[in-house]
Amino acid sequence: MIADGETVWFNPSSLADAFAVLKSYATSPLPIRMTVGNTSIGVVKYYPTVPEDDPMIFVNLAEVPELLTVDSASDPEAVTVGAAVTLTNLIELLSALIPAAAAAAAVGAASRPHLLALVRHLQLVGSQPGPDLVYSQ
C-alpha cells in the first residue's frame, strides 16, 4: 500500500489479494478504481462526470499473475485473454498464432480466422509511442 495523504494505492500480487482489498473497502464511501495502466484518465474527459472519475483508492492489477495470462490451447477456436494483458503483449501473442491458424484452415481443421482482423484493429486503436517518447533498453 502506498498513501500520499489524498490517495491510496494498492498493488496486490494475486487475485485473492485484490479481492481482499476490494472487500475491505466494500462499504467505504470513497471512490475506488481498479487500474492496470491507468490510461482511462485520458478518456474520462469525454464522458459525463461520475464519482469514480476522481477516485481516492486505486487497486493496481498490473502484477496479478492470474490476469496476465493468454490461453490459446484449451479451445482450438478461441483465445482467452486476462484483463491485465497489455495491448502490446496481446498483439505479439495473437500475431504468433496467425501462421498456425492459417495452416489449420488450409487442411480444414478448426482455425481462428478472426485473428488477423483483431491484430490489425489492435494495432490501429492501441497506443503507439509518440515522437516525444524515448525508450532505452
Side-chain angles (χ1 to χ4, degrees):
M1 176 178 76
I2 302 169
D4 70 1
E6 292 185 27
T7 58
V8 179
W9 280 83
F10 290 93
N11 294 300
S13 58
S14 71
L15 201 52
D17 290 347
F19 281 121
V21 170
L22 293 174
K23 184 177 180 181
S24 70
Y25 285 93
T27 59
S28 171
L30 300 174
I32 299 172
R33 176 175 292 158
M34 292 183 289
T35 182
V36 175
N38 209 23
T39 55
S40 63
I41 62 169
V43 296
V44 295
K45 61 186 173 190
Y46 299 111
Y47 299 98
T49 304
V50 295
E52 290 77 17
D53 289 344
D54 193 20
M56 302 292 291
I57 301 164
F58 291 85
V59 182
N60 178 20
L61 303 174
E63 301 299 323
V64 176
E66 299 94 328
L67 301 177
L68 294 169
T69 61
V70 176
D71 176 16
S72 62
S74 24
D75 183 339
E77 295 187 14
V79 177
T80 303
V81 180
V85 173
T86 66
L87 290 180
T88 300
N89 287 345
L90 183 58
I91 289 168
E92 289 174 8
L93 293 163
L94 294 178
S95 294
L97 294 174
I98 290 172
V107 296
S111 67
R112 300 175 176 110
H114 54 283
L115 289 180
L116 184 57
L118 182 56
V119 167
R120 286 180 180 156
H121 178 72
L122 290 171
Q123 289 171 331
L124 178 67
V125 300
S127 297
Q128 299 296 320
D132 56 335
L133 298 176
V134 177
Y135 291 95
S136 61
Q137 294 181 333

